[in-house]
């Protein structure tokens, strides 16, 4: 059905940014929690990673369910989990196990809001408007993460950590309110409720759709690289700054990275716009190959003037985001109407799996080659990071050979 499309896109955009206000809280305050709760590095890593586990465990059901019920209802359920997770962390968490539990709930909240939010647009917008609005909605991950880092970092200078999670919970509650009162319920066409008899956990049609699967596998490689970059780029720039004997502090480097993150939103939208007029598969392949080349050289540039390294890093960050919206939009378009939710469920699970593995694999490689204080370590670490694009383009091309070339043009 057609609704006031621009208004709906704006509501969904701000609702999802608010829903992600607490995503980086633990990461920002990790040193304090480690000391306060006497956490080991492994325990701190588990609290960080359990968020992705919550997402992966529940996304197949929650996102897949949007093929059968109004996505607005799924989004509201996800928001409730988010409110409980954030307020619970603020008032109850006092150590490893309680923190683990409430971060898991926050992961469920992300699974119940991000892709179901996209499905709200898919259900209510006509094809052309849906195609135009998808990149804007997908950019909420970048904007929401940036807002979360900004709020957490600045509020901690003034308030106790409890209030940071308390404020994030209020923002999550505001997100829920926006969806509840300002997003219209889906109006079903005749027999639409009964035409889809697929079980919410039956994903066989997705794996048979090789065109969609090609973009899903490309998205896995994309997220491997992107989240490895987000996890390690501050540490890399701190190393490079010290290597060049600069006086640039960690907070200033963090500001640079935040700017790169917000810049990525516009690169993602621009990439999607270009792909609307050209072959999507070709644009994705070109971007991934260029990203791999730039990423592999990054570790070899750490001893060059710092301003030059920042420029290359900014370019690399833009390349990382340029194919993000293209991949998800292509997956949506490759899906059939009655399996779109299931397709997005597999798309998000594969993507988050890549996001989970990327930082871990890069950290493992860094340890092998000397750690974060080693020039050689960062050379191999950046090569490993950039390999996500190589993995993505290889997997995508392998699937492409199994379908007709015309399907991708």
């Amino acid at each position: 059905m057609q609704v006031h499309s621009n208004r709906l896109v704006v509501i969904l955009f701000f609702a999802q940014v608010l829903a992600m206000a607490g995503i980086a809280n633990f990461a920002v305050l990790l040193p304090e929690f480690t000391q306060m709760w006497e956490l080991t590095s492994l325990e701190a890593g588990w609290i960080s990673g359990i968020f992705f586990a919550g997402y992966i465990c529940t996304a197949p059901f929650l996102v897949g369910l949007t093929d059968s019920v109004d996505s607005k209802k799924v989004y509201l359920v996800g928001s409730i989990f988010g409110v409980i997770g954030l307020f619970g962390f603020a008032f109850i968490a006092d150590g490893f196990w309680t923190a683990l539990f409430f971060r898991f709930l926050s992961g469920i909240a992300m699974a119940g809001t991000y892709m179901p939010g996209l499905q709200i647009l898919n259900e209510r917008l006509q094809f052309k408007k849906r195609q135009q609005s998808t990149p804007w909605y997908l950019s909420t991950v970048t904007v929401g993460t940036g807002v979360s880092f900004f709020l957490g970092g600045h509020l901690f200078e003034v308030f106790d950590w409890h209030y940071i999670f308390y404020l994030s919970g209020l923002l999550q509650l505001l997100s829920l309110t926006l969806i509840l009162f300002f997003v219209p319920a889906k109006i079903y066409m005749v027999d639409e409720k009964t035409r889809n008899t697929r079980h919410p956990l039956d994903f066989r049609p997705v794996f048979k759709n090789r065109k969609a699967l090609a973009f899903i596998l490309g998205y896995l490689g994309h997220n491997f690289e992107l989240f490895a970059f987000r996890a390690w780029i501050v540490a890399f720039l701190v190393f490079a700054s010290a290597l060049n004997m600069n006086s640039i502090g960690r907070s200033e480097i963090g500001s640079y990275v935040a700017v790169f993150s917000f810049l990525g939103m516009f690169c993602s939208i621009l990439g999607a716009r270009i792909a609307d007029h050209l072959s999507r598969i070709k644009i994705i392949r070109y971007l991934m190959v260029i990203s791999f080349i730039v990423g592999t050289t990054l570790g070899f540039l750490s001893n060059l003037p710092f301003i030059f390294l920042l420029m290359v890093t900014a370019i690399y960050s833009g390349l990382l985001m340029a194919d993000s919206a293209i991949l998800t939009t292509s997956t949506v378009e490759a899906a059939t109407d009655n399996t779109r939710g299931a397709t997005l469920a597999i798309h998000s699970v594969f993507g988050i799996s890549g996001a989970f593995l990327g930082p871990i694999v890069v950290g493992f490689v860094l340890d092998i080659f000397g750690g974060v204080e080693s020039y050689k370590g960062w050379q191999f670490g950046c090569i490993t990071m950039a390999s996500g694009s190589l993995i993505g383009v290889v997997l995508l091309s392998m699937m492409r050979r199994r379908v007709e070339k015309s399907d991708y043009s």
Side-chain angles (χ1 to χ4, degrees), residues 125-351:
L125 301 182
Q126 293 179 350
F127 175 78
K128 186 64 178 178
K129 188 61 183 180
R130 186 171 68 208
Q131 189 180 50
Q132 294 172 349
S133 62
T134 295
W136 286 97
Y137 177 79
L138 295 175
S139 68
T140 56
V141 172
T142 300
V143 177
T145 301
V147 169
S148 184
F149 272 107
F150 179 83
L151 287 177
H154 284 75
L155 290 177
F156 187 66
E157 297 178 358
V158 182
F159 300 106
D160 182 78
W161 70 266
H162 298 85
Y163 291 97
I164 297 174
F165 281 88
Y166 177 67
L167 176 61
S168 300
L170 289 176
L171 294 178
Q172 178 84 67
L173 192 60
L174 178 58
S175 171
L176 185 154
T177 304
L178 285 174
I179 299 298
L180 180 62
F181 292 106
F182 295 100
V183 172
K186 178 183 177 182
I187 298 178
Y188 289 91
M189 305 300 290
V190 177
D191 294 331
E192 188 175 350
K193 286 186 176 181
T194 58
R195 72 178 181 179
N196 186 6
T197 58
R198 183 190 64 83
H199 189 278
L201 295 180
D202 181 9
F203 298 105
R204 288 174 296 179
V206 180
F207 291 101
K208 292 178 181 178
N209 185 348
R210 290 175 176 173
K211 182 177 179 180
L213 192 59
F215 295 115
I216 290 171
L217 293 174
Y219 189 62
L220 184 153
H222 162 79
N223 270 12
F224 178 100
E225 182 178 19
L226 175 62
F227 280 81
F229 175 85
R230 288 177 175 174
W232 290 106
I233 192 58
V234 171
F236 171 68
L237 291 177
V238 168
F239 164 77
S241 177
L243 193 66
N244 284 270
M245 293 181 289
N246 285 315
S247 58
I248 297 176
R250 188 178 301 250
S251 60
E252 187 175 354
I253 289 175
S255 298
Y256 286 131
V257 174
V259 171
F260 298 158
S261 181
F262 285 113
L263 195 62
M265 178 185 76
F266 298 101
C267 292
S268 179
I269 294 170
L270 178 61
R273 287 288 180 265
I274 294 173
D276 285 341
H277 303 286
L278 301 173
S279 169
R280 292 185 185 277
I281 189 69
K282 289 181 179 179
I283 294 296
I284 293 171
R285 290 178 65 182
Y286 290 152
L287 287 171
M288 283 187 167
V289 170
I290 297 172
S291 180
F292 173 71
I293 294 171
V294 175
T296 54
T297 62
L298 194 64
F300 295 87
L301 305 178
S302 56
N303 59 347
L304 296 181
F306 193 68
I307 185 66
F308 176 77
L309 179 63
L310 282 176
M311 292 172 60
V312 176
T313 304
I315 293 171
Y316 184 43
S317 178
L319 288 168
L320 284 174
M321 285 301 299
D323 59 352
S324 182
I326 307 175
L327 285 162
T328 300
T329 302
S330 300
T331 302
V332 171
E333 292 182 0
T336 58
D337 287 340
N338 61 344
T339 62
R340 189 174 291 117
T343 304
L344 285 175
I346 298 301
H347 180 79
S348 58
V349 167
F350 273 62

Side-chain angles (χ1 to χ4, degrees), residues 9-42:
V9 173
V10 170
I11 291 171
L12 262 295
F13 180 91
F14 282 103
Q16 190 57 34
V17 169
L18 292 172
M20 297 184 64
I23 191 172
N25 284 358
F26 184 79
V28 171
L29 304 173
L30 191 147
E32 286 71 28
F33 283 125
T34 300
Q35 183 177 8
M36 179 174 56
W37 291 340
E38 298 180 348
L39 300 174
T40 66
S41 296
L42 179 61

Side-chain angles (χ1 to χ4, degrees), residues 235-236 239-240 243 299 302 365-382:
F236 171 68
F239 164 77
L243 193 66
S302 56
V365 171
L366 281 169
D367 283 342
I368 291 176
F369 291 100
V372 296
E373 301 297 330
S374 166
Y375 182 66
K376 184 178 181 181
W378 282 114
Q379 288 176 333
F380 282 94
C382 288

Side-chain angles (χ1 to χ4, degrees), residues 52-64 104 107-112 349:
F52 296 107
Y55 188 106
I56 292 171
C57 289
T58 56
F61 175 73
L62 291 174
V63 184
F104 185 83
I108 296 176
M110 182 70 174
V349 167

